Amino acid sequence: MRSRMKRLLTTRLLVLAGLVLFSGRVNALPIKTEILNPQKKVIGRANVYIDYVELLDPAGQPKGRVGFVKADGRFQLFVVRDGGKQEWVGRAANRRLYDTKGKLLALYDWTTFWVYVYTPEGEKLGQARCISFRGICAAGVASYLTGLLEPQ
């Protein structure tokens, strides 16, 4: 009985020590993905986190973010353009992307591994591989592919 208790205590201490040592070094986020045009050429990148997506140009320069914001007692997806100041430029809901005036810019959908973005007329704008957090990833990819994050 005593040796079993000693072994259990030793195991717990080793596990705790391992967690402390590796907790700052091992992190699965962000999930990095490439944004592809219809010809499957890389035209952008996305860093996907649990509740937001950072969108970058091919050189790694920030273009914008899509994230959850609690408004009117519910969570909504908002699109923000990076630049000299962060500027709210759109929102996403029900697999659709809108600008700030409510104009429909794109439709998006996803499968197990892929996100696809289309114009309201049905023309394919591009795709990205999103293996997790597909809804927010899809909204981010759609905002990048529509040009919503480009300076006005």
Side-chain angles (χ1 to χ4, degrees), residues 4-24:
R4 183 173 180 225
M5 207 54 166
K6 190 175 181 181
R7 195 171 355 134
L8 183 62
L9 183 59
T10 303
T11 304
R12 284 186 179 174
L13 284 174
L14 286 173
V15 168
L16 182 60
L19 288 173
V20 169
L21 288 173
F22 295 110
S23 63

Side-chain angles (χ1 to χ4, degrees), residues 47-66:
N47 293 335
V48 183
Y49 296 87
I50 293 172
D51 56 354
Y52 73 100
V53 177
E54 294 175 332
L55 299 148
L56 313 162
D57 67 15
Q61 296 300 311
K63 299 292 280 181
R65 290 180 181 82
V66 174

